[in-house]
Amino acid sequence: MPGCNFGLVTGNGVGVIDLDTKGDPDGFGGYATLVDVEELLAIDLSNLPLVETFSGAHLYFRYEGHLRSAIGWVPHIDVMADGGHQVAAPGSVRRDDIGAERTYRLVRGDLRAIPHAPPALLDAIRGWRVGRAGRSGSASPGADLPSTEQAIQDGLPLSSRNDFMHRLACRWWLRLGLDADAEVWALAHAVWEATPCQSTFPWSEVETAVRSAYKFVSAEDYKHRQVITAWLGGTS
């Protein structure tokens, strides 16, 4: 059938992490987000078969039980599992709407021997729901969120100070624990001191962000405590 599109029905224990770069002007998109996911969950997904697509990549994994598909799971990443489908590889798919050939090429691993996903990843897929715009649900990693060391050295960017402080504080509460008041406040103060234009970013806004992060983390609990435990392996 020349010109036809071949697809794979996901589910029944086989899932696909779909990385997209189209929405990122720098071209990193889902690749950068995946790095954050691996850091936050302290996992290594380099053993998963990798299919190169026209605008990103597909990583194949196995799982036990049920796993709902998650469109817009985290920025630039969809998860296709129960009830989903994905373009199959290897091979090429010609898109009539653009008149160009898009190639799907296996560049790593063996699709006949797909490994099981780490439990922490499956917990995160089941627990994080942020949508494409990053609104609502559990906190998600952000491709642009700096490490604590970077934030202490360079401060926070003018356009994202409140958001970054909140997200960094979430990371600190999760990594250090909800009783680590002194440590979290010390980190927040160090980042605030390194941030330029403090006249427009007073300490009161830092306090609001850190307290909001505490309430978020303590209230969410992701329904399963092990998901918070997975976050503890995140970037320091």
Side-chain angles (χ1 to χ4, degrees):
M1 299 180 64
C4 71
N5 293 341
F6 290 95
L8 167 73
V9 176
T10 56
N12 294 318
V14 176
V16 175
I17 299 172
D18 184 357
L19 313 184
D20 190 11
T21 62
K22 294 193 297 292
D24 185 352
D26 296 320
F28 299 112
Y31 291 105
T33 302
L34 187 67
V35 170
D36 282 320
V37 168
E38 291 183 282
E39 289 181 349
L40 286 167
L41 299 178
I43 58 176
D44 181 4
L45 302 180
S46 62
N47 66 322
L48 299 184
L50 177 66
V51 171
E52 183 183 69
T53 71
F54 182 80
S55 59
H58 296 161
L59 283 82
Y60 285 76
F61 64 91
R62 289 192 177 276
Y63 60 92
E64 301 291 342
H66 296 289
L67 183 67
R68 294 178 58 185
S69 295
I71 305 302
W73 172 52
V74 291
H76 307 292
I77 294 182
D78 297 332
V79 177
M80 309 309 297
D82 295 351
H85 65 277
Q86 194 56 270
V87 176
S92 302
V93 177
R94 180 172 295 279
R95 306 279 186 170
D96 293 337
D97 56 335
I98 63 173
E101 189 174 78
R102 297 187 171 188
T103 302
Y104 293 76
R105 184 168 61 97
L106 179 66
V107 297
R108 184 183 75 196
D110 186 350
L111 293 176
R112 295 167 298 183
I114 301 172
H116 280 78
L121 175 64
L122 298 178
D123 286 340
I125 293 171
R126 293 181 173 111
W128 292 346
R129 289 291 183 273
V130 298
R132 293 189 181 276
R135 295 188 299 269
S136 76
S138 303
S140 71
D144 52 355
L145 184 63
S147 68
T148 298
E149 289 80 3
Q150 291 171 326
I152 291 175
Q153 177 179 334
D154 303 324
L156 303 177
L158 183 64
S159 61
S160 306
R161 293 176 300 187
N162 297 82
D163 176 58
F164 277 16
M165 184 61 77
H166 172 84
R167 290 159 64 192
L168 282 170
C170 283
R171 180 178 286 175
W172 299 331
W173 289 123
L174 289 165
R175 181 174 64 87
L176 299 172
L178 293 172
D179 58 348
D181 296 78
E183 294 91 336
V184 170
W185 285 108
L187 290 170
H189 195 271
V191 171
W192 177 70
E193 283 192 322
T195 300
C197 302
Q198 291 178 359
S199 60
T200 58
F201 185 50
W203 177 248
S204 60
E205 293 189 16
V206 177
E207 291 179 318
T208 298
V210 173
R211 289 183 179 128
S212 175
Y214 179 90
K215 291 179 180 178
F216 173 79
V217 172
S218 60
E220 278 288 294
D221 204 21
Y222 300 103
K223 299 182 181 178
H224 298 286
R225 194 69 190 177
Q226 64 266 31
V227 180
I228 280 190
T229 302
W231 275 76
L232 302 183
T235 301
S236 61

